[in-house]
């Protein structure tokens, strides 16, 4: 016989203002199966919980309904209270009479009636609850970090320093990411490489970090605590063990005119190359599309002849490696929005009016970084690409792509205000007498010492800021004619510039969507990966055990990416600190007696949590085939329950019997 | 929001509220250099329900409707449409910047000419414009301004003594009738313009 306790909460005035608590308490006490019905001003407070514990013991309750706020808010609180009093925590239900009732209905009578209905349903449900036990899942204490930029490096080092093994997968031949190509960093103007390369070396030498460069994640299987990741190591044609990184190969390579990816197309590299001198690992790779030997299968082979370590292997092939990991951290970073060329996305369009690609001296911000960088193609001298002259007048345009709904990207890329200010400073410092003009819409410089930095560019270094967009850029007699507006002066502005630098929008890196689908991580309309909660779970995702950090989540600067990476590492370490993982037991179960093995559920499950299984007798004789739920993977969404034609799938804690009884209680 | 802003909003589904004042319209406008109020400021005035000020600007009559502003607007605000709406408002209320009075008179004479002939009769237009302009300004020099252009244009066959009319003037009349009554305070819908 059910002995249910109902505890109605005032929530201060939140519920009591519109719901007649006394009437509710009295009426509920008459409901069949209800043993006691009390109310209190704050049920979640210590005295409130004490009353619940007392009643469980004194009335020997078999189930609990707390009529108060949303279960999101306090279900855990009340389950814990029940558990302390010796009641299985899954025998606790909540009737949400705040969000679903008092906050939305202000007619006292109607609100009271609805509160009663909500409680009546919960009472019927709790009567049919079963005792459940959390699922225990074993845990592999190894992490996989995807992306070797500054965020990935930080996350990998934090976890490795805590004593756990990390596999770091990077798509490019070297780790370092976008930051390795930057010149100096705001707001301190310290050299990007000087602060990053020691961290890169640390990753390369760390005993706990296994580095997979020039590799990509092929597939992901398993679930939180027990991921099995297949990594494709692309053919490098260089034996990483034998190679000493001496440089004889790339010095002898005759194929010189390949645009350097690292220099954003501003410089050249050989067909066998390391992306930049400080690369980690300092091992070259052969560009299979550029190398004459690999294209023709015969000839050249100069690098092979010159290599004393015999490390060149033209017969190299892609290899698949399997890694086990308990947690995955995604740090795939960003790419720049494509200004003029074909777009990869039908919703986007380019900026024909700025002539990027048509005029050589219209460049993007990352290209400018390479021009200013001491390790860049010009050795840090700002020379314009068309004729190598030093530009005497440079126009910087912000919000190119960003905040431009007509081109398809509504968001602010966040870092452009700061790096444009930095660009004007670097340009002014290197070019005495040079003019820096900036077109901006708003200056967004929130951050420690950020606004001061922008003001310094304007007040001390003399960058000219115009509040307005640029409509068109044309070329006349070797000059770029920039037609913009100064909305503060209320006049159009025309500037004859030698070079134009576009602060282009940040977009998530290529391939991140395919990766997100492999990991069951969501992404927003612009392709940035979605966090679990925008405030309280910023590095978690809706896929348990998968964390995100850096610019794959949203445009961010270096400090923010690093902070988020450490947060993701911290969350991983919290997980690794446990003996084993526990999961909520409210998951699907298949009744193997009635299952007809049609496998509709297997095909329909969005989490690939249902497997084909075979029932055997104890002696190992085949009885039948069935579907079986993997407890580690099931998220309890109930899709299989809806799909199953033989009604063999049930969701624990939400059985059909329970749902029907709730509906029935409303009808009577 | 005033009713006047609502007029603009219904004009061509122009969402003036979307404008974030980036100034790209002003930046690309070929006649902005001659304007007293910049295109982005016209949109701003419309946004704030200050059409009275916007329609009294010279800019709305200087706009050549080239649509560059509308084409390049990052927020897809039809800036040229706002200009158009302002002109209609200005004409409907007969409130116009003093320097632009003759422009409005010319426009009216031009339309009236078309309405009656179905096509332009240049000589008649000159007569209409000069008469109306004279009564408005009471300026004798205005009457004879540009008079010396007449013989030149005549010699190049740009000015005919006897203008021709189109055959089916009923259709032209119907077009004008459809527009009439709507021009006063309600600008036309897109497909009727």
């Amino acid at each position: 016989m059910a002995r249910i306790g109902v505890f109605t909460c005032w929530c201060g005035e939140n519920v009591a203002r519109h719901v007649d608590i006394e009437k509710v308490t009295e009426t509920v006490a008459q409901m069949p199966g209800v043993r006691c019905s009390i109310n209190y001003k704050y049920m979640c407070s210590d005295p409130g919980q004490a009353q619940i514990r007392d009643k469980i013991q004194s009335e020997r309750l078999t189930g609990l309904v707390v009529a108060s706020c949303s279960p999101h808010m306090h279900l855990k609180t009340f389950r814990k209270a029940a558990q302390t009093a010796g009641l299985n925590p899954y025998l606790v239900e909540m009737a949400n009479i705040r969000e679903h009732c008092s906050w939305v209905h202000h007619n006292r009578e109607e609100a009271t009636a609805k509160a009663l209905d909500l409680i009546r349903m919960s009472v019927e449900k709790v009567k049919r609850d079963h005792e459940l036990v959390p699922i225990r899942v074993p845990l592999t204490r190894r992490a996989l970090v995807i992306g070797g930029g500054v965020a990935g490096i930080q996350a990998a080092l934090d976890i490795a320093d805590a004593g756990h093994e990390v596999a770091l997968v990077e798509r490019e031949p070297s780790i370092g990411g976008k930051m390795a190509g930057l010149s100096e960093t705001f707001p301190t103007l310290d050299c990007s490489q000087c602060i990053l390369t020691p961290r890169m070396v640390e990753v390369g030498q760390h005993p706990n970090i296994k580095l997979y460069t020039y590799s990509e994640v092929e597939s992901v299987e398993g679930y939180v605590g027990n991921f099995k990741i297949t990594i494709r190591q692309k053919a490098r044609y260089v034996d990483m063990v034998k190679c000493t990184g001496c440089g004889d190969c790339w010095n002898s390579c005759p194929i010189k005119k390949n645009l350097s990816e690292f220099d954003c197309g501003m410089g050249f590299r050989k067909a066998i190359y390391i992306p930049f001198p400080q690369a980690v690992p300092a091992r070259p790779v052969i560009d299979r599309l550029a190398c004459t030997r690999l294209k023709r299968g015969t000839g050249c082979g100069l690098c092979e002849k010159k290599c004393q370590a015999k490390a060149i292997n033209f017969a190299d092939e892609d290899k698949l490696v399997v890694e086990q990991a308990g947690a995955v951290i995604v740090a795939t970073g960003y790419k720049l929005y494509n200004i003029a060329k074909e777009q990869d996305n039908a919703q986007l369009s380019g900026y024909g009016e700025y002539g990027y690609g048509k005029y050589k001296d219209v460049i993007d911000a990352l290209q400018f970084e390479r021009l200013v960088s001491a390790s860049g193609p010009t050795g840090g001298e700002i020379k314009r690409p068309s004729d190598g002259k030093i530009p005497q007048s440079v126009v910087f345009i912000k919000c190119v792509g960003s905040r431009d709904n007509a081109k398809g990207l509504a968001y602010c890329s966040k870092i452009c205000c700061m790096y444009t200010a930095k660009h004007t400073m670097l340009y002014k410092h290197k070019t005495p007498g040079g003019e820096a003009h900036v077109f901006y819409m708003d200056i967004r410089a929130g951050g420690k010492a950020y606004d001061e930095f922008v003001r310094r560019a304007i007040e001390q270094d003399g960058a000219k800021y115009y509040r307005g967009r640029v409509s068109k850029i044309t070329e006349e007699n070797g000059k770029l004619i920039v037609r913009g507006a100064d909305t503060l002066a209320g006049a159009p502005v025309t500037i004859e510039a030698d070079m134009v630098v576009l602060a282009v929008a940040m977009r998530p890196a290529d391939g991140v969507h395919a990766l997100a689908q492999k990991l069951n991580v969501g992404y927003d309309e612009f392709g940035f990966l979605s966090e679990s909660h925008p405030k309280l779970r910023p590095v978690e995702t809706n896929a348990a055990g998968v964390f995100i950090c850096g610019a794959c989540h949203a445009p961010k600067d270096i400090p923010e990416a690093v902070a988020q990476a450490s947060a993701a590492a911290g969350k991983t370490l919290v997980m690794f600190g446990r003996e084993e993982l526990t999961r909520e037991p409210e998951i699907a179960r298949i009744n193997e007696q009635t299952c007809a093995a049609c496998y509709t559920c297997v095909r329909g499950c969005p989490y690939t949590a249902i497997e084909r299984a075979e029932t055997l007798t104890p002696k190992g004789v085949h009885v039948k085939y069935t579907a079986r739920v993997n407890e580690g993977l099931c998220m309890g969404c109930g899709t299989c329950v809806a799909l199953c034609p033989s009604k063999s799938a049930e969701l624990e804690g939400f059985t059909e019997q329970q749902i029907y009884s709730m509906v029935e209680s409303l009808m009577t | 929001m005033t009713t006047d802003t609502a007029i603009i909003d219904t004009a061509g589904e122009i969402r003036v509220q979307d404008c974030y004042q980036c100034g790209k319209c002003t930046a690309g406008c070929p006649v902005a250099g001659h304007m007293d109020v910049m295109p982005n400021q016209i949109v701003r005035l419309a946004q704030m329900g200050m059409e009275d000020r916007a329609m009294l600007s010279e800019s709305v009559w200087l706009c050549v409707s080239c649509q560059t502003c509308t084409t390049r607007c990052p927020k897809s605000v039809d800036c040229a449409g706002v200009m158009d709406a302002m002109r209609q408002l200005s004409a409907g209320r007969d409130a116009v910047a003093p320097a632009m009075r003759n422009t409005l008179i010319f426009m009216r004479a031009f339309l009236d000419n078309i309405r009656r002939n179905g096509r332009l009769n240049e000589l008649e237009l000159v007569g209409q414009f000069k008469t109306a302009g004279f009564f408005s300004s009471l300026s004798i020099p205005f009457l004879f301004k540009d008079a010396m252009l007449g013989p030149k244009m005549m010699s190049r066959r740009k000015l005919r003594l006897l203008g021709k009319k189109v055959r089916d003037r009923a259709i032209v009349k119907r077009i004008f009738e459809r527009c009439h009554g709507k021009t006063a305070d309600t600008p036309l819908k897109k497909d009727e313009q």
Side-chain angles (χ1 to χ4, degrees):
Chain A
M1 188 59 205
R3 300 165 69 91
I4 310 297
V6 179
F7 300 84
T8 310
C9 180
W10 296 40
C11 195
E13 278 217 323
N14 273 302
V15 174
R17 194 181 298 130
H18 300 297
V19 173
D20 186 342
I21 302 276
E22 285 306 330
K23 187 181 169 193
V24 166
T25 315
E26 282 165 26
T27 317
V28 165
Q30 307 306 316
M31 289 180 186
V34 173
R35 178 77 189 179
C36 74
S37 169
I38 58 171
N39 64 67
Y40 186 65
K41 203 153 194 177
Y42 296 103
M43 226 35 154
C44 58
S45 68
D46 243 6
Q49 289 187 45
Q51 291 186 47
I52 294 177
R53 289 196 298 267
D54 288 349
K55 286 288 177 195
I56 290 173
Q57 281 164 348
S58 62
E59 302 289 338
R60 289 178 292 120
L61 298 179
T62 60
L64 216 63
V65 173
V66 185
S68 55
C69 51
S70 158
H72 264 298
M73 191 84 190
H74 275 312
L75 183 59
K76 272 191 181 159
T77 314
F78 296 122
R79 277 186 172 169
K80 221 173 177 178
Q83 196 169 21
T84 343
L87 186 70
N88 184 289
Y90 297 94
L91 301 177
V92 176
E93 294 290 340
M94 283 182 81
N96 185 354
I97 58 168
R98 192 178 74 173
E99 283 88 338
H100 287 180
C101 189
S102 69
W103 275 359
V104 285
H105 303 295
H106 292 172
N107 177 318
R108 197 171 172 82
E109 250 171 58
E110 284 173 11
T112 307
K114 180 167 174 183
L116 279 168
D117 280 344
L118 290 170
I119 296 170
R120 189 176 297 117
M121 289 200 293
S122 297
V123 169
E124 288 310 310
K125 181 167 186 247
V126 78
K127 281 185 198 167
R128 290 158 181 85
D129 269 333
H130 301 292
E131 294 196 353
L132 298 175
V133 185
I135 297 156
R136 294 171 185 278
V137 187
L139 165 70
T140 311
R141 282 184 190 76
R142 292 186 89 235
L144 178 90
V145 177
I146 306 169
V150 64
I153 288 173
Q154 180 72 26
L157 283 175
D158 280 351
I159 297 169
D161 285 344
H164 299 290
E165 285 179 25
V166 180
L168 177 58
V169 182
E170 166 59 49
R171 179 161 57 187
E172 300 298 324
S174 167
I175 56 168
K178 293 277 192 292
M179 185 179 169
L182 304 183
S183 54
E184 288 164 17
T185 53
F186 61 79
T188 44
L189 292 187
D190 42 0
C191 152
S192 181
Q193 287 223 341
C194 311
I195 54 180
L196 182 68
T197 46
R199 303 289 278 165
M200 290 162 61
V201 173
E202 230 179 298
V203 168
Q205 295 176 345
H206 206 295
N208 280 344
I209 297 180
K210 193 165 181 193
L211 193 52
Y212 293 94
T213 51
Y214 211 45
S215 304
E216 292 186 51
V217 171
E218 182 86 0
S219 64
V220 181
E221 287 170 57
Y223 47 89
V224 55
N226 300 278
F227 291 108
K228 201 173 112 192
I229 303 106
T230 309
I231 298 163
R232 173 177 293 272
Q233 281 190 299
K234 291 179 274 187
R236 203 172 177 125
Y237 306 104
V238 173
D239 189 316
M240 297 281 279
V241 182
K242 287 183 190 164
C243 174
T244 60
C246 69
D248 283 348
C249 52
W250 66 80
N251 285 329
S252 64
C253 178
I255 313 295
K256 293 173 183 166
K257 290 281 174 184
N258 309 293
L259 287 178
S260 158
E261 294 86 356
F262 182 73
D263 283 334
C264 304
M266 303 293 277
F268 298 103
R269 58 160 174 79
K270 301 287 186 69
I272 182 166
Y273 67 103
I274 59 169
F276 53 106
Q278 299 77 17
V280 171
R283 300 284 181 270
V285 55
I286 299 181
D287 178 347
R288 68 183 99 179
L289 298 173
C291 172
T292 36
R293 170 62 176 264
L294 284 173
K295 276 195 291 188
R296 292 188 205 141
T298 174
C300 191
L302 269 176
C303 49
E304 191 182 22
K305 282 168 208 148
K306 289 277 177 183
C307 180
Q308 291 176 2
K310 302 268 171 271
I312 307 285
N313 172 19
F314 289 118
D316 199 7
E317 281 177 350
D318 288 10
K319 281 188 278 291
L320 294 179
V321 189
V322 176
E323 276 284 345
Q324 306 282 342
V328 177
I329 295 180
V330 186
T332 47
Y334 70 95
K335 67 169 180 183
L336 290 187
Y337 153 81
N338 207 342
I339 312 164
K341 288 162 251 164
E342 293 258 312
Q343 300 289 329
D344 55 17
N345 183 329
Q347 271 129 36
L348 302 179
S349 58
Y351 273 83
E353 61 263 43
Y354 289 172
Y356 181 86
K358 189 162 130 203
Y359 309 133
K360 279 186 178 168
D361 295 326
V362 179
I363 59 173
D364 69 41
L366 279 183
Q367 291 177 313
F368 188 75
E369 291 284 347
R370 294 311 297 147
L371 273 191
V372 195
S373 171
S375 73
T378 58
E381 267 192 86
I382 302 175
K383 293 176 179 170
R384 64 181 200 166
S386 63
D387 53 10
K389 280 189 192 152
I390 292 173
Q392 291 306 310
S393 165
V394 181
V395 168
F396 297 88
I397 305 176
K398 295 207 260 181
C399 297
V400 178
S402 317
R403 305 175 67 199
D404 191 332
N405 303 51
K407 308 287 186 201
L409 302 175
Y411 57 87
C412 164
S413 287
K414 198 173 185 181
I415 64 168
C416 324
C417 283
M418 291 306 294
Y419 73 62
T420 299
K422 176 192 77 180
H423 284 173
T424 65
M425 278 186 191
L426 297 177
Y427 169 70
K428 283 283 208 171
H429 295 170
K430 293 196 171 187
T431 320
E435 284 180 12
H437 305 274
V438 179
F439 284 94
Y440 72 98
M441 291 209 291
D442 299 286
I443 299 177
R444 295 180 170 174
K448 193 172 179 177
Y450 279 18
D451 198 55
E452 298 93 309
F453 183 80
V454 175
R455 293 314 305 173
R456 201 171 107 204
I458 298 169
E459 291 162 17
Q460 286 178 29
D461 292 307
K464 277 192 187 158
Y465 271 62
Y466 305 86
R467 202 216 156 270
R469 263 190 194 269
V470 167
S471 179
K472 196 173 172 70
I473 298 171
T474 51
E475 199 176 37
E476 277 172 39
N477 307 324
K479 287 272 186 187
L480 293 164
I481 312 296
V482 181
R483 293 171 58 95
D486 182 346
T487 58
L488 298 181
V493 182
T494 303
I495 293 169
E496 288 187 13
D498 295 322
M499 191 163 84
V500 174
V501 181
L502 307 176
V504 180
M506 287 165 100
R507 291 187 59 209
D510 284 328
V512 71
H513 301 159
L515 181 66
Q517 280 159 13
K518 284 171 197 165
L519 291 164
N520 277 324
V521 172
Y523 45 86
D524 68 15
E525 58 178 313
F526 302 112
F528 289 108
L529 301 186
S530 304
E531 69 279 35
S532 184
H533 187 282
K535 279 112 193 162
L536 301 177
R537 292 162 65 83
V539 296
E540 292 95 326
T541 64
N542 281 340
V546 180
F547 305 99
I548 50 173
C549 60
C552 65
H553 163 250
K556 340 191 124 61
D557 59 15
I558 296 165
E560 231 183 317
V562 169
Q564 219 189 6
S566 282
K571 288 289 173 188
T572 305
L573 292 173
V574 167
M575 212 171 105
F576 287 0
R578 294 193 196 126
E579 285 282 309
E580 55 192 356
L581 296 175
T582 52
R583 305 192 70 229
E584 289 296 324
E586 285 147 327
I587 58 165
R589 299 253 177 238
I590 307 281
N591 182 345
E592 294 185 5
Q593 305 293 319
T594 54
C595 172
C598 71
Y599 299 135
T600 309
C601 53
V602 175
R603 289 187 293 276
C605 177
Y607 302 96
T608 55
I610 307 181
E611 299 153 358
R612 291 156 198 255
E614 192 180 0
T615 313
L616 301 172
T617 62
K619 282 182 181 170
V621 181
H622 167 85
V623 179
K624 65 179 289 197
Y625 289 106
T626 57
R628 195 168 292 160
V629 176
N630 182 326
E631 295 185 337
L633 281 174
C634 177
M635 301 295 279
C637 70
T639 305
C640 52
V641 179
L643 286 174
C644 182
S646 67
K647 303 245 174 283
S648 303
E650 278 279 35
L651 200 56
E652 296 282 13
F654 295 90
T655 59
E656 293 213 355
Q657 205 199 359
Q658 286 181 301
I659 306 295
Y660 279 124
S661 68
M662 289 167 79
V663 177
E664 266 173 40
S665 77
L666 281 181
M667 310 269 196
T668 47
Chain B
M1 199 190 296
T2 67
T3 41
D4 284 353
T5 315
I7 290 170
I8 294 163
D9 285 347
T10 52
E13 287 140 17
I14 305 169
R15 299 187 309 269
V16 281
Q17 303 308 334
D18 287 7
C19 171
Y20 56 18
Q21 287 294 313
C22 72
K24 203 172 179 184
C25 44
T26 302
C29 178
V31 285
H34 304 279
M35 287 181 170
D36 54 345
V37 180
M38 293 301 122
N40 68 291
Q41 294 171 323
I42 296 280
V43 180
R44 177 66 182 160
L45 290 171
Q47 222 172 32
M48 303 311 284
M50 292 155 89
E51 289 88 355
D52 291 355
R53 273 176 64 185
M55 71 182 186
L56 285 174
S57 67
E58 295 173 18
S59 306
V60 293
W61 295 103
L62 289 172
C63 166
V64 292
S65 298
C66 71
Q67 307 275 345
T68 305
C69 46
T70 301
T71 309
R72 297 206 185 123
C73 177
K75 298 289 285 178
S76 306
V77 174
D78 183 4
C79 178
V82 174
M83 290 289 193
D84 211 24
M86 290 303 166
R87 280 193 292 270
Q88 295 193 36
L89 222 55
S90 174
R93 297 187 191 171
D94 200 37
V96 66
M100 292 292 127
R101 167 62 61 186
N102 281 344
T103 309
L104 178 57
I105 290 169
F106 178 84
M107 299 267 182
R108 280 181 178 151
F110 185 93
L111 275 180
D112 184 55
N113 198 292
I114 299 278
R115 184 172 56 81
R116 284 187 290 107
N117 299 323
R119 59 176 293 177
L120 197 63
N121 182 333
E122 292 90 351
L123 215 53
E124 197 182 295
L125 174 67
V126 172
Q128 278 180 288
F129 175 50
K130 289 289 174 185
T131 320
F134 175 72
F135 283 118
S136 153
S137 62
L138 295 176
S139 153
I140 304 281
F142 169 78
L143 270 182
F144 299 102
K145 200 179 152 213
D146 306 324
M148 293 318 287
L149 278 175
K152 275 187 201 164
M153 288 176 78
M154 204 91 82
S155 70
R156 282 173 204 178
R157 296 193 183 177
K158 293 289 175 199
L159 214 58
R160 291 205 187 109
L161 283 175
L162 293 170
K164 282 181 184 165
K165 295 184 177 187
V166 296
R167 217 170 296 149
D168 195 354
R169 288 200 297 286
I171 290 178
V172 179
K173 203 179 159 197
R174 273 217 307 283
I175 293 174
F176 272 85
E177 268 168 10
R178 264 186 75 188
C179 298
H180 197 72
K182 293 178 187 170
T183 47
D185 248 19
T186 8
L188 303 175
K189 282 188 196 135
K190 269 258 159 78
D191 58 325
E192 286 176 330
Q193 279 175 346

